[in-house]
């Protein structure tokens, strides 16, 4: 079964890769992704200065999913600018995830990272975990200004990682913004921000930062992820490639993302919980499912979701 896919003209050997943030902070973790069956190496979202991130515990996994408030721990963009060329040896696409605390940060980072020649740049407008910092993707005007400026300094394909939207009007407004700024792919969605997980035995929150509030991931967010993939697929008439992110734990979850319009999927919580072997398992499960259903590839079913 050919599980390869193409995003913004870049060919990926399969359709499963890590989500930014999952096992991709250090050089060793990025090397391990290079050696694994992940179809790409996606870096942790990088900031100007190296960051330790928020205080621990800052990740908690439970049967229905996960909550995290990592706080963008990363090596700083200059370290990733040095590491990215070394990752070339793995012969798979490299996606650099760019974050920041101001418009200027994004522009500086994107310009330098672009020169290290990742295959794609994913602009993260959706981290929910920095105390006092709103999620940029919820402000269409700020997003438009920022993306225009980043677009001007980036020559590799540029995509955007968006937060989940819960209202069609917000999706439509963001689609208008994206139309105008030359975005070439979307990663949908980041964690569902500002959730709260409670430990009733201990009568306390599950994670320390922000009084226990953090981004939800894993199976419990799959319907929200699918809804956003589907909504943006329709808004762009299938013209803009979408990487589905959210709740991919087995081959069927990935199939659902493809039906909604995704061209590839990223794996976060399941990668953190299961380790790098998750990619081979997902490939096998999806291949078996597609074969049983008579599809020759994931792209053959892309967007085919039937409505009643
Ligand atoms: C984090 O580092 O807090 C998560 C990053 C993100 O959700 O974008």
């Amino acid at each position: 079964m050919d599980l390869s896919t193409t995003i913004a003209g870049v060919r990926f050997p399969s359709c499963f890769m890590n989500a930014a943030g999952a096992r991709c902070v250090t050089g060793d973790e990025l090397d391990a992704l290079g050696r694994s069956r992940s179809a790409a190496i996606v870096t942790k979202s990088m900031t100007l200065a190296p960051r330790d991130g928020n205080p621990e515990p800052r990740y908690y996994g439970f049967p229905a999913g996960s909550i995290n408030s990592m706080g963008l721990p990363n090596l700083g963009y200059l370290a990733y600018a040095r590491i990215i060329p070394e990752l070339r040896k793995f012969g798979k696409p490299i996606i650099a995830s760019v974050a920041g605390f101001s418009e200027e940060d994004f522009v500086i980072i994107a310009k330098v990272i672009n020169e290290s020649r990742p295959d794609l740049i994913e602009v993260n407008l959706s981290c929910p975990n920095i105390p006092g910092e709103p999620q940029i993707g919820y402000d269409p005007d700020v997003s438009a200004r920022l993306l225009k400026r980043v677009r001007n300094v980036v020559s590799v394909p540029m995509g955007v990682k968006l937060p989940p939207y819960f209202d069609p009007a917000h999706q439509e407004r963001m689609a208008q913004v994206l139309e105008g700024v030359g975005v070439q792919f979307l990663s949908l969605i980041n964690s569902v921000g500002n959730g709260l997980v409670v430990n009733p035995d201990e009568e306390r929150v599950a994670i320390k930062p922000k009084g226990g509030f953090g981004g939800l991931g894993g199976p419990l967010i799959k319907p929200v992820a699918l809804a956003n993939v589907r909504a943006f697929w329709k808004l762009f008439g299938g013209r803009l490639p979408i990487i589905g992110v959210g709740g991919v734990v087995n081959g069927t979850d990935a199939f659902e993302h493809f039906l909604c319009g995704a061209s590839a999927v990223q794996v976060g919580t399941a990668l953190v919980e299961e380790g790098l072997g998750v990619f081979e398992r997902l490939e096998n499960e999806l291949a078996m499912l597609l074969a049983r259903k008579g599809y020759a590839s994931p792209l053959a079913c892309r967007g085919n979701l039937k409505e009643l």
Side-chain angles (χ1 to χ4, degrees):
M1 172 73 61
D2 177 13
L3 295 182
S4 68
T5 189
T6 301
I7 309 278
V10 176
R11 187 183 172 279
F12 291 70
S14 98
C15 53
F16 294 103
M17 68 192 84
N18 69 297
R23 296 178 181 258
C24 59
V25 175
T26 65
D28 285 349
E29 285 177 328
L30 293 165
D31 274 355
L33 282 165
R35 289 190 300 271
S36 79
R37 295 284 286 258
S38 179
I41 307 172
V42 185
T43 72
K44 174 69 183 170
S45 298
M46 58 192 80
T47 52
L48 269 191
R51 288 174 58 81
D52 292 333
N54 290 338
E56 310 229 11
R58 57 193 186 183
Y59 173 91
Y60 176 72
F62 51 105
S66 67
I67 184 166
N68 88 83
S69 182
M70 305 304 288
L72 294 174
N74 77 97
L75 305 178
Y77 78 114
L78 290 176
Y80 294 107
R82 282 191 300 274
I83 290 171
I84 286 170
E86 292 167 14
L87 298 174
R88 285 255 147 265
K89 60 178 178 278
F90 294 110
K92 59 173 83 168
I94 300 162
I95 303 182
S97 173
V98 170
F101 297 103
S102 69
E103 236 173 89
E104 204 53 37
D105 284 8
F106 278 87
V107 175
I108 293 168
I109 296 169
K111 189 166 191 296
V112 169
I113 285 296
N114 185 64
E115 283 158 17
S116 72
R117 307 311 292 168
D119 295 275
L120 306 105
I121 288 180
E122 185 183 88
V123 181
N124 181 357
L125 297 186
S126 47
C127 177
N129 299 331
I130 306 299
E133 297 283 341
Q135 285 165 266
I136 300 166
Y138 286 136
D139 186 328
D141 298 326
V142 173
S143 299
R145 230 178 30 232
L146 186 154
L147 289 171
K148 264 186 206 141
R149 289 191 61 195
V150 172
R151 179 71 276 179
N152 283 338
V153 298
V154 161
S155 55
V156 304
M158 182 186 92
V160 186
K161 185 158 181 186
L162 292 173
Y165 298 99
F166 300 94
D167 189 313
H170 297 162
Q171 289 159 337
E172 282 160 28
R173 177 72 187 102
M174 189 49 63
Q176 282 167 357
V177 165
L178 299 169
E179 282 279 12
V181 292
V183 164
Q184 289 158 284
F185 70 97
L186 301 178
S187 298
L188 301 171
I189 55 175
N190 207 323
S191 59
V192 174
N194 300 302
L196 188 64
V197 173
V198 170
N199 178 331
D201 296 330
E202 307 275 338
E203 302 179 22
R204 59 162 175 75
V205 296
I207 56 170
K208 182 175 172 71
K210 290 179 72 176
F213 288 79
L216 301 171
L220 84 165
I221 74 161
K222 186 176 71 172
V224 179
L226 294 175
N228 277 270
V229 170
R230 189 65 182 164
F232 281 94
W233 164 262
K234 285 180 155 191
L235 283 164
F236 284 98
R239 283 176 286 115
L240 199 56
I242 296 172
I243 303 176
V245 202
V248 177
V249 173
N250 58 45
T252 306
D253 300 322
F255 180 63
E256 292 175 15
H257 272 274
F258 286 109
L259 284 177
C260 289
S263 294
V265 293
Q266 292 180 349
V267 187
T269 300
L271 170 57
V272 171
E273 295 291 334
E274 186 174 332
L276 295 163
V278 73
F279 296 112
E280 189 170 356
R281 177 177 65 75
L282 289 170
E283 281 179 23
N284 291 338
E285 289 174 2
L286 180 64
M288 267 170 11
L289 176 60
L290 291 175
R292 201 169 67 238
K293 285 180 163 283
Y295 286 111
S297 74
L299 296 184
C301 65
R302 184 179 49 175
N304 281 0
L305 188 66
K306 296 187 194 95
E307 294 180 13
L308 303 177

